[in-house]
Amino acid sequence: MKERINKLLCQLNQNLFEREEAIKLALLATLSGESIFFLGPPGVAKSLISRRIKDIFKDGKSFEYLMNRFSTPDEIFGPIAISKLKNEDKYERKVENYLPSADIVFLDEIWKAGPSIQNALLTVINEKKYRNGAQEIDIPLKGLISASNELPAKGEGLEALWDRFIIRCIVENITDENNFNAFLKKTTIDIATTIDENLKFSTEEYKQCQLKINTIDIPDEVLRVISFIRYNITEYNEKEENKAKIYISDRRWKKIVQFLKTAAFLNDRKEINLGDCFLIAYTLWDEVEQIDFVKEAVTVAIKNHGYSYKFDITAFEEQIEKLKLDIKNNSQITKKVEYFVPKLYDINGYKYYQIKGFDYPLIKKSDFDNINSDDQVITLCQNYFGFKQERCVKKSENKIFIKDRYAHNYEKYTEYDLEVDTKTKEVVETSRPDKRIIADWDKTVQNLLTEIDEVIDEIEIYKNKDEKGLKDNLFVPKELTTLAEESVNKALIECKKTKAIIIQIKEDYDKL
């Protein structure tokens, strides 16, 4: 299927410039059974895209109409069958060659449609049914593409119809100069394109695809990404400066997931991956000003809350903390130890220490603290009135050594104690616990290492298996799928860091 879709996209893009994104989304929307809205000025190939999409179906029929304020239901759904009204008293329309008989429908300037057309379109888009007189008929509609150069006006009852268009895409004029020059050189741009018959879908095959799409799995990491996107939207709506709120109904989320399932199916996968989730950005915005926020919210959710949550290491962190606590409780004893510090006296605004048994017992704290060599000359005070003498001094903890300033070098210092205060401090002593306790720690470490190695292996297998699926997504640019890969790598790095912590814990207690 993936190879087939890739060929289809190449053929749909023939002779077009910078329309790859719009064509991919239109094809994806059609094969998922959803509707798409193109916002853009006139003349940017919006109708051409819809006409080409019709060609992916065998014997596909299309209906195209440019809306205006005077458009009537007859022009969209078909004229009243006069003969039935006259002969059978039945109010029915002749729907052949009108919207109810088409596979692909393109409605330009859709917001100009009147209420009667809008109301009928609600059922047509959602349920693929049309009420024709007294009967409700199933219609073959596979994709409805609409376009306008403006968004629906506020307060005109267009909200329900706008909500039906799950995918929203901006189509602009050609921006690259080389592409623009090539466009100018083209004599004509063919509306139709040549699609190989073997690539086209029959109605029966289309129905089979829908059944297969419904079986695509939604893994937990995708559900978590959606949860974080919803949370970010709630935060956005709560900010007073954001006047235009983003509203996503439960029904819309259901259709968004179906859209992602289709992307996975067309990429030959059996489950949605994080790469597909980037497509969510096309489904959430209501105003152009919201697009940047939506893209950022989707990207952050995928990068930060994708695979790293699939491989959650919280349980390991809790066990590690429990092991650390057990090691501390069984190998460390906290004791209170007395120690002594020089006693401080405050005299005339200065801090002094007192020397026991010396005639000049007072030394300024600042002077004592600055003693850094032998034979240093310091002024000592006899009493509080300031009688002083200079002495040669040196110091050690809580002691001072004194001799006369003019003494010979060979004369000895006399040792004196400083008056001290007694204080206490807590000292942690470590000891090696009983062998049985260490054996329990070894068992815990081994279990943790075994479990985290299993997670690392699981990530590696998952990464290798999903790497190609991430990189080669038909509908998402490689620069975005690379960000999804970063989420896998982030989970792997976190697990390896946790393993290193466990190994270090064992090395530390082995040294006790």
Side-chain angles (χ1 to χ4, degrees):
M1 181 61 73
K2 185 174 183 178
E3 184 180 353
R4 177 181 179 182
I5 295 299
N6 196 33
K7 289 178 179 178
L8 264 178
L9 289 170
C10 290
Q11 294 182 12
L12 287 169
N13 275 291
Q14 284 175 8
N15 300 320
L16 291 182
F17 302 91
E18 299 182 14
R19 294 296 171 262
E20 293 85 358
E21 179 187 50
I23 285 178
K24 283 180 179 181
L25 291 173
L27 176 67
L28 185 53
T30 300
L31 293 179
S32 67
E34 298 300 340
S35 301
I36 183 170
F37 171 76
F38 289 135
L39 175 65
V44 292
K46 299 189 294 291
S47 60
L48 189 152
I49 291 170
S50 69
R51 293 168 191 165
R52 289 196 173 187
I53 291 295
K54 178 260 300 182
D55 291 335
I56 71 171
F57 297 104
K58 295 177 180 178
D59 303 318
K61 295 180 180 179
S62 65
F63 176 79
E64 181 180 328
Y65 195 80
L66 174 61
M67 297 286 195
N68 62 67
R69 68 182 67 181
F70 303 111
S71 298
T72 65
D74 291 5
E75 298 167 300
I76 310 299
F77 303 107
I80 301 300
I82 301 299
S83 59
K84 284 200 173 187
L85 182 61
K86 181 179 178 181
N87 300 327
E88 302 176 35
D89 198 24
K90 289 184 177 179
Y91 187 89
E92 291 183 4
R93 296 184 183 278
K94 299 168 69 174
V95 298
E96 192 62 32
N97 298 322
Y98 289 88
L99 185 150
S101 67
D103 297 280
I104 298 294
V105 173
F106 176 66
L107 299 177
D108 203 0
E109 296 302 330
I110 189 169
W111 313 125
K112 291 182 170 63
S116 58
I117 296 174
Q118 292 173 26
N119 291 336
L121 286 174
L122 295 179
T123 307
V124 164
I125 295 173
N126 246 28
E127 302 173 27
K128 306 296 190 295
K129 294 180 183 294
Y130 174 67
R131 188 163 190 83
N132 191 10
Q135 62 177 336
E136 193 171 62
I137 60 173
D138 292 323
I139 62 176
L141 181 68
K142 298 173 180 64
L144 191 149
I145 301 172
S146 70
S148 178
N149 58 10
E150 60 186 2
L151 294 174
K154 303 294 183 185
E156 294 188 9
L158 295 167
E159 291 79 11
L161 183 58
W162 172 232
D163 189 58
R164 295 300 195 273
F165 294 99
I166 303 302
I167 301 96
R168 288 103 185 247
C169 177
I170 294 180
V171 184
E172 299 176 313
N173 284 300
I174 298 169
T175 56
D176 182 85
E177 188 173 355
N178 292 329
N179 289 336
F180 182 69
N181 291 337
F183 166 74
L184 292 180
K185 288 179 181 180
K186 298 279 309 173
T187 306
T188 58
I189 300 293
D190 295 330
I191 291 175
T193 186
T194 304
I195 303 288
D196 292 345
E197 282 298 316
N198 62 329
L199 298 178
K200 294 184 178 182
F201 291 85
S202 66
T203 298
E204 182 57 34
E205 188 181 13
Y206 176 80
K207 291 178 180 177
Q208 289 300 315
C209 286
Q210 297 297 305
L211 294 175
K212 291 176 182 177
I213 288 167
N214 288 335
T215 67
I216 297 295
D217 190 30
I218 313 167
D220 289 342
E221 62 267 25
V222 170
L223 294 175
R224 288 193 181 98
V225 164
I226 290 173
S227 293
F228 278 97
I229 293 172
R230 292 180 69 201
Y231 174 79
N232 285 334
I233 289 174
T234 300
E235 278 198 331
Y236 175 90
N237 290 337
E238 288 174 351
K239 291 180 180 178
E240 193 174 338
E241 62 267 26
N242 297 325
K243 302 299 181 185
K245 308 304 180 186
I246 299 175
Y247 172 70
I248 312 294
S249 65
D250 292 345
R251 176 184 63 198
R252 187 173 184 81
W253 275 116
K254 187 79 171 173
K255 288 180 173 291
I256 290 170
V257 169
Q258 190 71 7
F259 181 55
L260 302 184
K261 283 184 174 183
T262 305
F265 171 73
L266 297 180
N267 276 289
D268 285 338
R269 283 184 272 106
K270 294 182 179 179
E271 65 178 24
I272 303 169
N273 69 17
L274 288 192
D276 300 321
C277 290
F278 285 103
L279 295 167
I280 297 174
Y282 293 103
T283 68
L284 302 180
W285 59 270
D286 290 318
E287 304 284 347
V288 174
E289 293 76 16
Q290 297 168 345
I291 293 177
D292 287 343
F293 161 76
V294 165
K295 286 182 178 179
E296 180 68 14
V298 171
T299 301
V300 169
I302 293 169
K303 281 182 65 178
N304 297 344
H305 307 293
Y307 293 120
S308 57
Y309 274 76
K310 180 180 178 68
F311 305 107
D312 192 0
I313 59 172
T314 305
F316 291 112
E317 292 170 349
E318 291 173 355
Q319 291 181 68
I320 289 169
E321 290 305 313
K322 185 178 178 182
L323 176 61
K324 283 181 178 179
L325 182 61
D326 193 49
I327 291 171
K328 180 180 178 181
N329 290 339
N330 284 282
S331 64
Q332 295 182 357
I333 300 173
T334 303
K335 293 182 177 179
K336 287 189 175 182
V337 177
E338 287 188 346
Y339 68 102
F340 306 98
V341 295
K343 187 174 183 178
L344 272 176
Y345 292 87
D346 194 334
I347 303 170
N348 298 327
Y350 292 98
K351 303 292 184 183
Y352 287 87
Y353 294 144
Q354 185 146 321
I355 304 167
K356 296 166 69 174
F358 189 65
D359 293 339
Y360 291 84
L362 299 178
I363 180 171
K364 282 185 179 179
K365 177 183 182 302
S366 57
D367 289 341
F368 182 84
D369 292 344
N370 289 325
I371 296 172
N372 53 29
S373 65
D374 290 353
D375 298 328
Q376 190 164 338
V377 177
I378 294 292
T379 300
L380 305 176
C381 300
Q382 187 181 45
N383 52 41
Y384 301 150
F385 299 105
F387 296 108
K388 304 173 183 177
Q389 279 196 5
E390 292 182 336
R391 292 287 191 272
C392 286
V393 298
K394 58 182 182 178
K395 69 175 182 179
S396 65
E397 186 178 5
N398 300 330
K399 292 182 180 295
I400 189 167
F401 303 86
I402 304 172
K403 72 177 182 179
D404 190 88
R405 178 181 179 184
Y406 302 104
H408 296 291
N409 289 339
Y410 59 82
E411 291 187 23
K412 293 183 178 180
Y413 282 94
T414 304
E415 176 184 325
Y416 297 91
D417 292 323
L418 298 180
E419 287 194 13
V420 295
D421 279 333
T422 303
K423 295 186 178 295
T424 59
K425 61 181 177 181
E426 290 187 345
V427 175
V428 176
E429 294 182 357
T430 59
S431 61
R432 190 168 181 81
D434 186 272
K435 290 181 179 179
R436 289 171 296 178
I437 294 175
I438 293 177
D440 287 340
W441 293 347
D442 287 341
K443 184 177 179 181
T444 300
V445 166
Q446 189 55 53
N447 289 340
L448 282 170
L449 290 175
T450 300
E451 289 175 20
I452 204 156
D453 279 337
E454 288 174 357
V455 175
I456 290 171
D457 290 343
E458 188 181 353
I459 296 174
E460 295 282 12
I461 292 168
Y462 191 93
K463 183 181 175 184
N464 294 334
K465 179 197 78 172
D466 211 40
E467 191 171 17
K468 191 172 187 300
L470 278 175
K471 288 182 176 178
D472 300 326
N473 194 312
L474 289 174
F475 306 102
V476 180
K478 282 185 171 56
E479 59 265 24
L480 291 180
T481 55
T482 300
L483 298 178
E485 282 187 90
E486 288 180 15
S487 184
V488 187
N489 294 331
K490 179 183 175 183
L492 189 59
I493 289 168
E494 290 301 318
C495 284
K496 288 182 177 179
K497 281 183 180 176
T498 303
K499 181 178 178 179
I501 290 170
I502 297 168
I503 293 171
Q504 186 61 53
I505 289 173
K506 176 166 173 53
E507 290 177 356
D508 288 344
Y509 73 68
D510 281 344
K511 292 175 184 176
L512 289 173

